[in-house]
Amino acid sequence: MLSSNTFLIYVVDDEQTIREGISLALNTEFRILTFETAEDVLAKLASPGIAPDLLLLDLGLPGMSGIDALRIIKGKYPGLQVVIITAYEDVETAVRVMKLGAYDYVVKPLHMASLVVTINHALETLHMRREIQRVQELCLQESHPYFVGESDAILQVMDFVDQVAASPDTPVLISGETGTGKELVASAIHYRSPNSQGPLIKINCAAIPTELIESELFGYVTGAFSGARVGGKIGLLAEANNGSLFLDEIGDLGLSAQAKLLRFLEEGEFYRVGSSQPIKVTTRLVAATNKNLEEMMQEGVFRKDLYFRLAVVKVKIPSLKERCADILPLSRYFLELFSAKFGKSYRAISPDAEKLLVQHNWMGNIRELKNSIERGVLLGKGPALLADDLQLERLESGREKGVSGLELPDISSQGIDLDEVVRNVERNYIEKALLLGDGNESKAARFLHMNHHTFRYRRKKLFS
C-alpha cells in the first residue's frame, strides 16, 4: 500500500461537500488540491509547478463536462492517472471512460474506504510504470533495448527485477532462448540492488575452454600450472567482491568448476588454483542458461545441489513470439538507432514492412530483429523502411529451400534407411543454426542447446 504524502492528488468536483469530504479523508496520507470546474484544473495543469500523480474527476461538471476534460487530459498528459467520479453506475459509462484512458471509476455516494483502495491501486500501477520507465531509460543508455515495450510478458519480468533486486546476495537463475536479453536482466538486477555501487563482472562459461574456466573464475597463484604468469591472477569472483557476478551459459560449466562454485555458495569462500589459502568475498551470483538444466541433472552433467543453490529465485525471459506486441516498438527503436548511426533520415516503417515484421518467425529473438532492422536501414533509401529492405522473405525462402523445406520420406514397401534420414535432419538443423548464428559455431551450438565442442564434432562428422 502506497500511503505517502509524497503523492499529489487533484480533486475536481462541483459539490463542495464532496471536495471537503475527500480532502478530510485523504489529507493525512496524500497532498490534496481541489477544483470546482474542469477549466480550473486544466489551467492549473498547464501552469508551471509540480504535476499531480492522480486526478479524481467528476463527470457531471458545470461548463466543460468531465468526459471532454478526460479526453483533453489524457491527450496532453497520458501518464497522469485519472479516476472518474460518477453519479451513475452503468456499463456504457464504464466502457467510455476506460477507452478514453481512465484508470477506474467510482460511484456516488462515495465510500471512502473503497475510494482509498482504488487510489492506492492506481498509485501502485503508476509507481510500477515509473520504475519500468527508469530501467528502460537505463537500458537504452547502455544500448540494451530488450525492455522496450509494455507487453504483459515483459512487464512481468520487470516486476520480477523490481522484487529480487532488493536482496544483495540472493542467487538468481535466468533462463530463456538465445537473444532474449538474459544478460540485460542480470544488469538490471545489479544496478537496482544494494550492490550497484560495486562491480558487475560478466563471464560467458561457453566461451572459455574447460581447462581454463577455473583459473579465470577463481584465479591462480604463481606457479600453479605451466604458463601461469608471475604474481598469479585474482580471478573474476574476487573482482566481483561487493558487487555481482554474472555467469552466462552456466550449463557449459564443467563438473570440477561446478563443485568449487557450490562450495563458494555454501561457505562464502573459495581457493585460487594452486593455493591452500581460502578467500572470502561477498557477491551476488546471477546465472543464465538457454539449456534445460533439469534434463542435464538427470544425465549427470549438472550437479543437483548446485542447481538448487543457484535457483533460489528463478525467472524465464519470454521469447519474442511470447511478446509479439513489442515487435513494432522494438523495430521503431532500432530504426531510430541505426538511422542515426548511418546518417540516414528514416522516419517510419511502411505498413507492408510492419506486417512482415509481425508475421516473421523470430527464432533468433530480439538479436535477430535488431540485425534485420540494421540491414534494412543500411541497404534501404528511406524515408520509410520498406518490406523489400528487410529481405526477410528472401532469407525465409533460402531457409526453406536449404533447411526447413526438408521433406521426411514415407516408408515404402522397400523400407527406408532410417540412419540416413536422421543424418539429413541433423545436417539441415546444423545448417539452419549456422545461418542464424552468422556462421559462428558457438552461436550456432547455442541454438541447438549443445556444447560448441559437440557441435563442431557433429558438423565435421556429418559434412566431411
mmCIF file of all heavy atoms in Angstrom, residues 128-168:
data_model
loop_
_atom_site.group_PDB
_atom_site.id
_atom_site.type_symbol
_atom_site.label_atom_id
_atom_site.label_comp_id
_atom_site.label_asym_id
_atom_site.label_seq_id
_atom_site.Cartn_x
_atom_site.Cartn_y
_atom_site.Cartn_z
ATOM 1 N N MET A 128 4.831 1.395 -10.534
ATOM 2 C CA MET A 128 5.438 0.346 -11.342
ATOM 3 C C MET A 128 5.825 0.876 -12.720
ATOM 4 O O MET A 128 6.917 0.586 -13.224
ATOM 5 C CB MET A 128 4.482 -0.839 -11.485
ATOM 6 C CG MET A 128 5.090 -2.018 -12.251
ATOM 7 S SD MET A 128 3.944 -3.402 -12.436
ATOM 8 C CE MET A 128 2.803 -2.724 -13.642
ATOM 9 N N ARG A 129 4.961 1.676 -13.334
ATOM 10 C CA ARG A 129 5.258 2.226 -14.660
ATOM 11 C C ARG A 129 6.484 3.138 -14.611
ATOM 12 O O ARG A 129 7.316 3.132 -15.519
ATOM 13 C CB ARG A 129 4.053 3.000 -15.189
ATOM 14 C CG ARG A 129 2.907 2.115 -15.657
ATOM 15 C CD ARG A 129 1.740 2.947 -16.134
ATOM 16 N NE ARG A 129 0.637 2.119 -16.604
ATOM 17 C CZ ARG A 129 -0.545 2.590 -16.947
ATOM 18 N NH1 ARG A 129 -0.782 3.889 -16.874
ATOM 19 N NH2 ARG A 129 -1.497 1.776 -17.365
ATOM 20 N N ARG A 130 6.586 3.939 -13.559
ATOM 21 C CA ARG A 130 7.733 4.825 -13.437
ATOM 22 C C ARG A 130 9.030 4.035 -13.262
ATOM 23 O O ARG A 130 10.071 4.410 -13.803
ATOM 24 C CB ARG A 130 7.526 5.786 -12.260
ATOM 25 C CG ARG A 130 6.507 6.887 -12.560
ATOM 26 C CD ARG A 130 6.242 7.741 -11.336
ATOM 27 N NE ARG A 130 5.344 8.860 -11.666
ATOM 28 C CZ ARG A 130 4.847 9.698 -10.767
ATOM 29 N NH1 ARG A 130 5.141 9.539 -9.477
ATOM 30 N NH2 ARG A 130 4.045 10.669 -11.128
ATOM 31 N N GLU A 131 8.953 2.957 -12.478
ATOM 32 C CA GLU A 131 10.133 2.130 -12.284
ATOM 33 C C GLU A 131 10.548 1.460 -13.593
ATOM 34 O O GLU A 131 11.728 1.379 -13.926
ATOM 35 C CB GLU A 131 9.865 1.066 -11.215
ATOM 36 C CG GLU A 131 9.878 1.611 -9.801
ATOM 37 C CD GLU A 131 11.240 2.178 -9.436
ATOM 38 O OE1 GLU A 131 12.205 1.398 -9.353
ATOM 39 O OE2 GLU A 131 11.348 3.400 -9.264
ATOM 40 N N ILE A 132 9.539 0.977 -14.340
ATOM 41 C CA ILE A 132 9.817 0.357 -15.633
ATOM 42 C C ILE A 132 10.460 1.367 -16.578
ATOM 43 O O ILE A 132 11.440 1.082 -17.262
ATOM 44 C CB ILE A 132 8.522 -0.216 -16.247
ATOM 45 C CG1 ILE A 132 8.067 -1.439 -15.448
ATOM 46 C CG2 ILE A 132 8.714 -0.580 -17.715
ATOM 47 C CD1 ILE A 132 6.692 -1.929 -15.827
ATOM 48 N N GLN A 133 9.917 2.589 -16.593
ATOM 49 C CA GLN A 133 10.472 3.633 -17.468
ATOM 50 C C GLN A 133 11.906 3.959 -17.076
ATOM 51 O O GLN A 133 12.774 4.154 -17.935
ATOM 52 C CB GLN A 133 9.609 4.885 -17.389
ATOM 53 C CG GLN A 133 10.085 6.006 -18.310
ATOM 54 C CD GLN A 133 9.186 7.228 -18.225
ATOM 55 O OE1 GLN A 133 8.290 7.295 -17.396
ATOM 56 N NE2 GLN A 133 9.441 8.200 -19.075
ATOM 57 N N ARG A 134 12.177 3.990 -15.749
ATOM 58 C CA ARG A 134 13.522 4.309 -15.286
ATOM 59 C C ARG A 134 14.526 3.261 -15.749
ATOM 60 O O ARG A 134 15.614 3.573 -16.231
ATOM 61 C CB ARG A 134 13.545 4.408 -13.756
ATOM 62 C CG ARG A 134 14.868 4.886 -13.186
ATOM 63 C CD ARG A 134 14.757 5.081 -11.689
ATOM 64 N NE ARG A 134 14.715 3.825 -10.985
ATOM 65 C CZ ARG A 134 15.804 3.127 -10.637
ATOM 66 N NH1 ARG A 134 17.004 3.582 -10.958
ATOM 67 N NH2 ARG A 134 15.700 1.999 -9.983
ATOM 68 N N VAL A 135 14.146 1.985 -15.607
ATOM 69 C CA VAL A 135 15.056 0.921 -16.019
ATOM 70 C C VAL A 135 15.182 0.871 -17.542
ATOM 71 O O VAL A 135 16.253 0.632 -18.082
ATOM 72 C CB VAL A 135 14.579 -0.439 -15.469
ATOM 73 C CG1 VAL A 135 15.451 -1.564 -15.996
ATOM 74 C CG2 VAL A 135 14.624 -0.426 -13.953
ATOM 75 N N GLN A 136 14.075 1.139 -18.249
ATOM 76 C CA GLN A 136 14.138 1.179 -19.705
ATOM 77 C C GLN A 136 15.125 2.262 -20.160
ATOM 78 O O GLN A 136 15.930 2.047 -21.064
ATOM 79 C CB GLN A 136 12.754 1.465 -20.296
ATOM 80 C CG GLN A 136 11.826 0.257 -20.266
ATOM 81 C CD GLN A 136 10.470 0.569 -20.869
ATOM 82 O OE1 GLN A 136 10.075 1.713 -20.955
ATOM 83 N NE2 GLN A 136 9.761 -0.462 -21.272
ATOM 84 N N GLU A 137 15.066 3.436 -19.533
ATOM 85 C CA GLU A 137 15.974 4.514 -19.905
ATOM 86 C C GLU A 137 17.420 4.122 -19.643
ATOM 87 O O GLU A 137 18.316 4.399 -20.445
ATOM 88 C CB GLU A 137 15.612 5.788 -19.140
ATOM 89 C CG GLU A 137 14.302 6.419 -19.607
ATOM 90 C CD GLU A 137 13.856 7.558 -18.720
ATOM 91 O OE1 GLU A 137 14.507 7.771 -17.664
ATOM 92 O OE2 GLU A 137 12.865 8.220 -19.051
ATOM 93 N N LEU A 138 17.654 3.451 -18.504
ATOM 94 C CA LEU A 138 19.000 2.974 -18.196
ATOM 95 C C LEU A 138 19.466 1.981 -19.242
ATOM 96 O O LEU A 138 20.601 2.033 -19.726
ATOM 97 C CB LEU A 138 19.022 2.334 -16.803
ATOM 98 C CG LEU A 138 20.322 1.621 -16.403
ATOM 99 C CD1 LEU A 138 21.476 2.620 -16.322
ATOM 100 C CD2 LEU A 138 20.152 0.899 -15.076
ATOM 101 N N CYS A 139 18.559 1.067 -19.603
ATOM 102 C CA CYS A 139 18.917 0.031 -20.580
ATOM 103 C C CYS A 139 19.192 0.632 -21.949
ATOM 104 O O CYS A 139 20.113 0.206 -22.651
ATOM 105 C CB CYS A 139 17.799 -1.000 -20.683
ATOM 106 S SG CYS A 139 17.539 -1.937 -19.167
ATOM 107 N N LEU A 140 18.411 1.638 -22.342
ATOM 108 C CA LEU A 140 18.623 2.263 -23.641
ATOM 109 C C LEU A 140 19.940 3.041 -23.657
ATOM 110 O O LEU A 140 20.641 3.072 -24.666
ATOM 111 C CB LEU A 140 17.453 3.195 -23.975
ATOM 112 C CG LEU A 140 16.109 2.499 -24.198
ATOM 113 C CD1 LEU A 140 15.039 3.537 -24.520
ATOM 114 C CD2 LEU A 140 16.186 1.470 -25.301
ATOM 115 N N GLN A 141 20.283 3.661 -22.527
ATOM 116 C CA GLN A 141 21.560 4.355 -22.448
ATOM 117 C C GLN A 141 22.717 3.388 -22.623
ATOM 118 O O GLN A 141 23.771 3.746 -23.137
ATOM 119 C CB GLN A 141 21.686 5.062 -21.089
ATOM 120 C CG GLN A 141 20.769 6.270 -20.951
ATOM 121 C CD GLN A 141 20.723 6.790 -19.530
ATOM 122 O OE1 GLN A 141 21.464 6.339 -18.665
ATOM 123 N NE2 GLN A 141 19.844 7.739 -19.280
ATOM 124 N N GLU A 142 22.523 2.126 -22.205
ATOM 125 C CA GLU A 142 23.568 1.125 -22.332
ATOM 126 C C GLU A 142 23.439 0.341 -23.635
ATOM 127 O O GLU A 142 24.074 -0.689 -23.815
ATOM 128 C CB GLU A 142 23.508 0.158 -21.159
ATOM 129 C CG GLU A 142 23.757 0.831 -19.817
ATOM 130 C CD GLU A 142 23.699 -0.159 -18.675
ATOM 131 O OE1 GLU A 142 23.263 -1.306 -18.896
ATOM 132 O OE2 GLU A 142 24.110 0.189 -17.566
ATOM 133 N N SER A 143 22.585 0.831 -24.553
ATOM 134 C CA SER A 143 22.345 0.145 -25.837
ATOM 135 C C SER A 143 21.801 -1.263 -25.625
ATOM 136 O O SER A 143 22.154 -2.187 -26.345
ATOM 137 C CB SER A 143 23.638 0.103 -26.678
ATOM 138 O OG SER A 143 24.067 1.401 -26.985
ATOM 139 N N HIS A 144 20.943 -1.417 -24.618
ATOM 140 C CA HIS A 144 20.279 -2.695 -24.360
ATOM 141 C C HIS A 144 18.772 -2.463 -24.393
ATOM 142 O O HIS A 144 18.153 -2.227 -23.360
ATOM 143 C CB HIS A 144 20.676 -3.258 -22.994
ATOM 144 C CG HIS A 144 22.089 -3.712 -22.926
ATOM 145 N ND1 HIS A 144 22.630 -4.627 -23.787
ATOM 146 C CD2 HIS A 144 23.085 -3.369 -22.069
ATOM 147 C CE1 HIS A 144 23.890 -4.837 -23.473
ATOM 148 N NE2 HIS A 144 24.202 -4.087 -22.443
ATOM 149 N N PRO A 145 18.150 -2.513 -25.578
ATOM 150 C CA PRO A 145 16.744 -2.133 -25.690
ATOM 151 C C PRO A 145 15.763 -3.277 -25.455
ATOM 152 O O PRO A 145 14.624 -3.191 -25.874
ATOM 153 C CB PRO A 145 16.653 -1.668 -27.152
ATOM 154 C CG PRO A 145 17.600 -2.587 -27.856
ATOM 155 C CD PRO A 145 18.738 -2.828 -26.883
ATOM 156 N N TYR A 146 16.184 -4.352 -24.782
ATOM 157 C CA TYR A 146 15.343 -5.531 -24.681
ATOM 158 C C TYR A 146 14.073 -5.288 -23.872
ATOM 159 O O TYR A 146 13.124 -6.040 -23.954
ATOM 160 C CB TYR A 146 16.133 -6.689 -24.080
ATOM 161 C CG TYR A 146 17.277 -7.129 -24.946
ATOM 162 C CD1 TYR A 146 18.535 -6.548 -24.831
ATOM 163 C CD2 TYR A 146 17.099 -8.111 -25.904
ATOM 164 C CE1 TYR A 146 19.584 -6.939 -25.641
ATOM 165 C CE2 TYR A 146 18.135 -8.517 -26.722
ATOM 166 C CZ TYR A 146 19.376 -7.935 -26.585
ATOM 167 O OH TYR A 146 20.409 -8.315 -27.395
ATOM 168 N N PHE A 147 14.037 -4.237 -23.048
ATOM 169 C CA PHE A 147 12.864 -3.966 -22.234
ATOM 170 C C PHE A 147 11.934 -2.945 -22.884
ATOM 171 O O PHE A 147 11.017 -2.468 -22.235
ATOM 172 C CB PHE A 147 13.277 -3.465 -20.853
ATOM 173 C CG PHE A 147 13.836 -4.554 -19.977
ATOM 174 C CD1 PHE A 147 14.597 -4.234 -18.866
ATOM 175 C CD2 PHE A 147 13.604 -5.887 -20.250
ATOM 176 C CE1 PHE A 147 15.122 -5.221 -18.050
ATOM 177 C CE2 PHE A 147 14.127 -6.878 -19.446
ATOM 178 C CZ PHE A 147 14.879 -6.543 -18.345
ATOM 179 N N VAL A 148 12.180 -2.580 -24.126
ATOM 180 C CA VAL A 148 11.262 -1.692 -24.831
ATOM 181 C C VAL A 148 9.932 -2.412 -24.999
ATOM 182 O O VAL A 148 9.883 -3.582 -25.366
ATOM 183 C CB VAL A 148 11.832 -1.291 -26.203
ATOM 184 C CG1 VAL A 148 10.788 -0.565 -27.033
ATOM 185 C CG2 VAL A 148 13.060 -0.413 -26.022
ATOM 186 N N GLY A 149 8.839 -1.696 -24.774
ATOM 187 C CA GLY A 149 7.521 -2.294 -24.933
ATOM 188 C C GLY A 149 6.800 -2.421 -23.608
ATOM 189 O O GLY A 149 7.385 -2.257 -22.536
ATOM 190 N N GLU A 150 5.514 -2.725 -23.676
ATOM 191 C CA GLU A 150 4.708 -2.865 -22.469
ATOM 192 C C GLU A 150 3.820 -4.097 -22.548
ATOM 193 O O GLU A 150 2.708 -4.118 -22.031
ATOM 194 C CB GLU A 150 3.856 -1.611 -22.250
ATOM 195 C CG GLU A 150 4.665 -0.382 -21.859
ATOM 196 C CD GLU A 150 3.797 0.772 -21.381
ATOM 197 O OE1 GLU A 150 2.568 0.591 -21.299
ATOM 198 O OE2 GLU A 150 4.343 1.844 -21.096
ATOM 199 N N SER A 151 4.289 -5.159 -23.187
ATOM 200 C CA SER A 151 3.519 -6.401 -23.204
ATOM 201 C C SER A 151 3.450 -6.965 -21.793
ATOM 202 O O SER A 151 4.318 -6.700 -20.947
ATOM 203 C CB SER A 151 4.181 -7.419 -24.134
ATOM 204 O OG SER A 151 5.457 -7.788 -23.636
ATOM 205 N N ASP A 152 2.420 -7.756 -21.518
ATOM 206 C CA ASP A 152 2.295 -8.367 -20.195
ATOM 207 C C ASP A 152 3.520 -9.199 -19.866
ATOM 208 O O ASP A 152 3.977 -9.223 -18.721
ATOM 209 C CB ASP A 152 1.036 -9.243 -20.145
ATOM 210 C CG ASP A 152 -0.239 -8.413 -20.137
ATOM 211 O OD1 ASP A 152 -0.158 -7.215 -19.819
ATOM 212 O OD2 ASP A 152 -1.307 -8.970 -20.451
ATOM 213 N N ALA A 153 4.074 -9.875 -20.872
ATOM 214 C CA ALA A 153 5.215 -10.761 -20.638
ATOM 215 C C ALA A 153 6.419 -9.987 -20.130
ATOM 216 O O ALA A 153 7.078 -10.397 -19.170
ATOM 217 C CB ALA A 153 5.570 -11.505 -21.927
ATOM 218 N N ILE A 154 6.731 -8.847 -20.753
ATOM 219 C CA ILE A 154 7.921 -8.098 -20.331
ATOM 220 C C ILE A 154 7.643 -7.316 -19.062
ATOM 221 O O ILE A 154 8.551 -7.093 -18.239
ATOM 222 C CB ILE A 154 8.423 -7.175 -21.472
ATOM 223 C CG1 ILE A 154 9.932 -6.890 -21.268
ATOM 224 C CG2 ILE A 154 7.642 -5.884 -21.546
ATOM 225 C CD1 ILE A 154 10.806 -8.108 -21.298
ATOM 226 N N LEU A 155 6.389 -6.898 -18.828
ATOM 227 C CA LEU A 155 6.061 -6.223 -17.576
ATOM 228 C C LEU A 155 6.234 -7.163 -16.393
ATOM 229 O O LEU A 155 6.651 -6.744 -15.304
ATOM 230 C CB LEU A 155 4.628 -5.686 -17.623
ATOM 231 C CG LEU A 155 4.387 -4.495 -18.552
ATOM 232 C CD1 LEU A 155 2.923 -4.073 -18.506
ATOM 233 C CD2 LEU A 155 5.275 -3.322 -18.176
ATOM 234 N N GLN A 156 5.918 -8.444 -16.585
ATOM 235 C CA GLN A 156 6.111 -9.421 -15.518
ATOM 236 C C GLN A 156 7.589 -9.592 -15.191
ATOM 237 O O GLN A 156 7.961 -9.735 -14.027
ATOM 238 C CB GLN A 156 5.487 -10.758 -15.915
ATOM 239 C CG GLN A 156 3.970 -10.752 -15.923
ATOM 240 C CD GLN A 156 3.372 -12.023 -16.509
ATOM 241 O OE1 GLN A 156 4.092 -12.991 -16.773
ATOM 242 N NE2 GLN A 156 2.075 -12.019 -16.713
ATOM 243 N N VAL A 157 8.425 -9.569 -16.217
ATOM 244 C CA VAL A 157 9.873 -9.658 -15.981
ATOM 245 C C VAL A 157 10.346 -8.431 -15.211
ATOM 246 O O VAL A 157 11.145 -8.536 -14.263
ATOM 247 C CB VAL A 157 10.639 -9.787 -17.310
ATOM 248 C CG1 VAL A 157 12.143 -9.696 -17.077
ATOM 249 C CG2 VAL A 157 10.302 -11.107 -17.986
ATOM 250 N N MET A 158 9.862 -7.254 -15.597
ATOM 251 C CA MET A 158 10.257 -6.037 -14.908
ATOM 252 C C MET A 158 9.807 -6.046 -13.457
ATOM 253 O O MET A 158 10.521 -5.591 -12.562
ATOM 254 C CB MET A 158 9.676 -4.822 -15.637
ATOM 255 C CG MET A 158 10.263 -4.599 -17.009
ATOM 256 S SD MET A 158 12.055 -4.370 -16.958
ATOM 257 C CE MET A 158 12.172 -2.960 -15.895
ATOM 258 N N ASP A 159 8.631 -6.589 -13.210
ATOM 259 C CA ASP A 159 8.144 -6.701 -11.840
ATOM 260 C C ASP A 159 9.039 -7.646 -11.039
ATOM 261 O O ASP A 159 9.356 -7.394 -9.874
ATOM 262 C CB ASP A 159 6.695 -7.201 -11.842
ATOM 263 C CG ASP A 159 6.075 -7.186 -10.457
ATOM 264 O OD1 ASP A 159 6.209 -6.164 -9.755
ATOM 265 O OD2 ASP A 159 5.463 -8.195 -10.061
ATOM 266 N N PHE A 160 9.475 -8.728 -11.685
ATOM 267 C CA PHE A 160 10.395 -9.669 -11.037
ATOM 268 C C PHE A 160 11.701 -8.965 -10.679
ATOM 269 O O PHE A 160 12.213 -9.108 -9.559
ATOM 270 C CB PHE A 160 10.668 -10.848 -11.969
ATOM 271 C CG PHE A 160 11.854 -11.687 -11.553
ATOM 272 C CD1 PHE A 160 11.710 -12.688 -10.616
ATOM 273 C CD2 PHE A 160 13.115 -11.464 -12.095
ATOM 274 C CE1 PHE A 160 12.796 -13.459 -10.225
ATOM 275 C CE2 PHE A 160 14.204 -12.214 -11.716
ATOM 276 C CZ PHE A 160 14.041 -13.217 -10.776
ATOM 277 N N VAL A 161 12.254 -8.208 -11.618
ATOM 278 C CA VAL A 161 13.506 -7.481 -11.368
ATOM 279 C C VAL A 161 13.339 -6.554 -10.174
ATOM 280 O O VAL A 161 14.206 -6.471 -9.298
ATOM 281 C CB VAL A 161 13.925 -6.683 -12.624
ATOM 282 C CG1 VAL A 161 15.064 -5.721 -12.298
ATOM 283 C CG2 VAL A 161 14.333 -7.628 -13.737
ATOM 284 N N ASP A 162 12.204 -5.878 -10.105
ATOM 285 C CA ASP A 162 11.944 -4.942 -9.024
ATOM 286 C C ASP A 162 11.950 -5.650 -7.671
ATOM 287 O O ASP A 162 12.470 -5.134 -6.683
ATOM 288 C CB ASP A 162 10.593 -4.258 -9.260
ATOM 289 C CG ASP A 162 10.324 -3.151 -8.265
ATOM 290 O OD1 ASP A 162 11.212 -2.308 -8.055
ATOM 291 O OD2 ASP A 162 9.228 -3.128 -7.677
ATOM 292 N N GLN A 163 11.386 -6.855 -7.617
ATOM 293 C CA GLN A 163 11.296 -7.577 -6.357
ATOM 294 C C GLN A 163 12.629 -8.169 -5.924
ATOM 295 O O GLN A 163 13.035 -8.050 -4.770
ATOM 296 C CB GLN A 163 10.258 -8.702 -6.479
ATOM 297 C CG GLN A 163 8.829 -8.216 -6.669
ATOM 298 C CD GLN A 163 7.854 -9.363 -6.812
ATOM 299 O OE1 GLN A 163 7.854 -10.294 -6.019
ATOM 300 N NE2 GLN A 163 7.025 -9.316 -7.846
ATOM 301 N N VAL A 164 13.326 -8.812 -6.849
ATOM 302 C CA VAL A 164 14.533 -9.552 -6.482
ATOM 303 C C VAL A 164 15.731 -8.629 -6.270
ATOM 304 O O VAL A 164 16.672 -8.978 -5.551
ATOM 305 C CB VAL A 164 14.858 -10.620 -7.538
ATOM 306 C CG1 VAL A 164 15.493 -10.009 -8.779
ATOM 307 C CG2 VAL A 164 15.777 -11.692 -6.961
ATOM 308 N N ALA A 165 15.701 -7.444 -6.863
ATOM 309 C CA ALA A 165 16.852 -6.545 -6.759
ATOM 310 C C ALA A 165 17.109 -6.095 -5.330
ATOM 311 O O ALA A 165 18.237 -5.758 -4.972
ATOM 312 C CB ALA A 165 16.648 -5.329 -7.664
ATOM 313 N N ALA A 166 16.068 -6.097 -4.502
ATOM 314 C CA ALA A 166 16.214 -5.587 -3.140
ATOM 315 C C ALA A 166 17.200 -6.394 -2.311
ATOM 316 O O ALA A 166 17.816 -5.873 -1.382
ATOM 317 C CB ALA A 166 14.855 -5.557 -2.455
ATOM 318 N N SER A 167 17.363 -7.667 -2.622
ATOM 319 C CA SER A 167 18.290 -8.506 -1.869
ATOM 320 C C SER A 167 19.679 -8.430 -2.488
ATOM 321 O O SER A 167 19.829 -8.605 -3.688
ATOM 322 C CB SER A 167 17.805 -9.961 -1.875
ATOM 323 O OG SER A 167 18.804 -10.817 -1.364
ATOM 324 N N PRO A 168 20.730 -8.191 -1.667
ATOM 325 C CA PRO A 168 22.068 -8.026 -2.240
ATOM 326 C C PRO A 168 22.813 -9.323 -2.507
ATOM 327 O O PRO A 168 23.836 -9.300 -3.192
ATOM 328 C CB PRO A 168 22.797 -7.215 -1.156
ATOM 329 C CG PRO A 168 22.139 -7.655 0.119
ATOM 330 C CD PRO A 168 20.697 -7.907 -0.226
#
